[in-house]
Amino acid sequence: MNRIDVVVGIVRDANGRVLVNQRLPGTHMAGHWEFPGGKQREGEEPPVALARELREELGIEVLAAEPLLYLTHDYPDRSVRLDVWKVLEYRGEPEALDSQALEWVALDELGKVGLLPADKPIVKKLGSDPSS
């Protein structure tokens, strides 16, 4: 089975809401919502990959981040390893540089937005960890 290494950023606004984006048409699981991030390149360290992905997708500069969760999820056709980071500080205002829909969502509403199955353990972790 094809395995994909992905870095994920949990980006919050001043009100504590979490940023999610909608997968574009033509992509795996198109239309589902997910936390921002993307594929980690061969030999790329996770913090470097996270900073690159969030700069490319959202136009923000990650100033500080810490690991939150590491998990693997198997889809019928692929396996994804998610290296999830809590973005502690960033510069800039997130914008949809890939023309993806963006939404700021309250923590208690995350379960209702149609997130990817692989992202559901992240929601559980965020809900059980008030400091996240």
Side-chain angles (χ1 to χ4, degrees):
M1 182 182 307
N2 187 22
R3 190 190 80 219
I4 302 166
D5 293 325
V6 175
V7 289
V8 175
I10 304 302
V11 179
R12 312 265 314 244
D13 69 4
N15 298 319
R17 297 176 303 174
V18 179
L19 187 65
V20 293
N21 55 258
Q22 192 171 34
R23 293 190 58 80
L24 294 170
T27 63
H28 180 255
M29 307 283 294
H32 280 80
W33 290 82
E34 65 182 348
F35 298 104
K39 292 178 188 166
Q40 185 176 340
R41 295 177 181 159
E42 185 74 32
E44 189 176 38
E45 292 297 318
V48 173
L50 179 71
R52 176 184 53 75
E53 283 291 339
L54 297 186
R55 184 176 55 253
E56 291 173 0
E57 279 185 23
L58 303 173
I60 63 173
E61 180 185 354
V62 175
L63 302 175
E66 66 182 18
L68 178 67
L69 179 66
Y70 190 78
L71 66 104
T72 300
H73 182 84
D74 293 329
Y75 289 101
D77 63 334
R78 67 189 70 192
S79 178
V80 292
R81 287 195 327 189
L82 302 179
D83 194 347
V84 184
W85 289 72
K86 182 169 48 169
V87 177
L88 304 172
E89 187 180 351
Y90 61 92
R91 184 179 8 247
E93 197 56 45
E95 54 184 307
L97 298 181
D98 290 336
S99 301
Q100 74 277 32
L102 296 178
E103 185 94 24
W104 290 103
V105 180
L107 199 55
D108 61 354
E109 296 290 316
L110 279 172
K112 303 174 186 173
V113 298
L115 285 169
L116 289 170
D119 284 356
K120 294 193 176 174
I122 301 169
V123 174
K124 185 175 181 183
K125 174 70 174 168
L126 291 172
S128 67
D129 183 358
S131 70
S132 57

